[in-house]
Amino acid sequence: MSETFKAILVSRDAEKKQSVTVTDLTDADLMEGDVTIAVEATTVNYKDGLAITGKAPVIRRWPLVPGIDFAGTVISSSHPDWRAGDKAILNGWGVGETHFGAYAGHARVKGDWLVPLPQGISPHDAMAVGTAGYTAMLCVMALERHGILPDRGPVVVTGAAGGVGSVAVSILSSLGYHVIASTGRNAESPYLINLGAAEVISRDELAQPAKPLAKERWAGGVDAVGSHTLANVLSMTSYGGAVAACGLAGGMDLPASVAPFILRGVSLLGIDSVMAPKAVRLEAWRRIGADLDLQKLASLSRTIGFDGIIDAARDIVNGKIRGRVVVDM
């Protein structure tokens, strides 16, 4: 008899009403791929919360096992780069959106989607980083490529108490940046200072409709919020600065003007983590291993079991999650 394992399955009926159940699957139920992984750890990202609650059209295949990232051990492989026993990480590539994802004991994926687990990082630690932290590192790398280094001046991180924001604050401060953390949760100020933020400001300062140009406050930023917040961040970015945009927690719209771009030479750097080329992923994970303080990583994450995933997904879209949530499978 084939081994069974628990999985979360999101389904939709003829009236397009979504339902979420916990069920048992076998390897025969998994989708196509040339590598099968025993999932050891995963996480709950904002996108996972949207998928499970149905608050945004993340899932595009029904039924589906959600979960956009995982770390684990290869069980079997017909891919030349992977063999049984190898440790691997997956982020993105439509997993948890169009392809069965992480919220199951096993996952079958394409070997080209995987990257090796860095030396010195456990599957648990890799998922404390997760897609949110990997995205934060992509943002940092983009700012660096644009010349936004610590000597250029302060950088702002919006949604700073969330997953992307927490890791961004930690990485940027470790690299020597003066980090201004923006959050809507004032009680999180001590947490953000502990991660390395030099200043904490209320998101209310950035939540109102933006002026075309406002007083220059920072050389760059990492924005996970979008909408009015991103518009304000751009309007307050100094001459020749840049902002890496990677999220939409506040909305998909961008009610801004062209003034920051044509009068201050500000650049808006779009960050996509889902389809990033493998070389970029490998460099991001190498940098995570080198630049992210594992003690800080422990302080910005908490651990739950498989049975806590659905509740955590609801909490994250309601703004009740601080930092990162790791799921030990």
Side-chain angles (χ1 to χ4, degrees), residues 264-325:
R264 287 187 183 158
V266 170
S267 295
L268 179 58
L269 311 176
I271 305 299
D272 166 59
S273 66
V274 177
M275 305 302 289
K278 190 166 185 177
V280 175
R281 294 167 182 268
L282 290 169
E283 176 61 11
W285 279 101
R286 185 195 70 77
R287 288 286 304 274
I288 286 165
D291 297 337
L292 184 58
D293 185 328
L294 292 182
Q295 289 186 332
K296 284 186 180 179
L297 185 63
S299 74
L300 62 82
S301 62
R302 67 181 177 91
T303 304
I304 63 173
F306 177 89
D307 293 340
I309 292 174
I310 294 173
D311 285 341
R314 292 173 179 143
D315 286 344
I316 200 167
V317 296
N318 290 323
K320 297 180 179 179
I321 297 290
R322 180 180 80 178
R324 304 283 297 125
V325 176

Side-chain angles (χ1 to χ4, degrees), residues 6 34 63 77 97 99 110 116 161 168 178 184 187 222 236 254 257 315:
K6 286 198 299 184
D34 48 17
S77 170
E97 301 178 61
H99 190 97
K110 294 182 179 180
H178 180 103
V222 173
M236 298 176 188
L254 180 55
S257 80
D315 286 344

Side-chain angles (χ1 to χ4, degrees), residues 172-185:
L172 289 164
S173 64
S174 295
L175 292 172
Y177 289 85
H178 180 103
V179 181
I180 301 171
S182 167
T183 180
R185 294 176 265 175

Side-chain angles (χ1 to χ4, degrees), residues 85-156:
D86 287 344
K87 298 287 188 179
I89 299 171
L90 181 137
N91 304 104
W93 294 117
V95 171
E97 301 178 61
T98 59
H99 190 97
F100 276 20
Y103 297 159
H106 292 178
R108 184 180 295 128
V109 298
K110 294 182 179 180
D112 289 343
W113 297 345
L114 300 168
V115 296
L117 185 72
Q119 281 292 115
I121 296 182
S122 68
H124 178 98
D125 286 345
M127 288 299 100
V129 177
T131 289
Y134 148 69
T135 302
M137 180 55 80
L138 293 178
C139 291
V140 173
M141 290 163 57
L143 292 175
E144 290 174 338
R145 287 195 301 271
H146 202 76
I148 310 302
L149 302 176
D151 62 1
R152 286 286 298 272
V155 291
V156 66

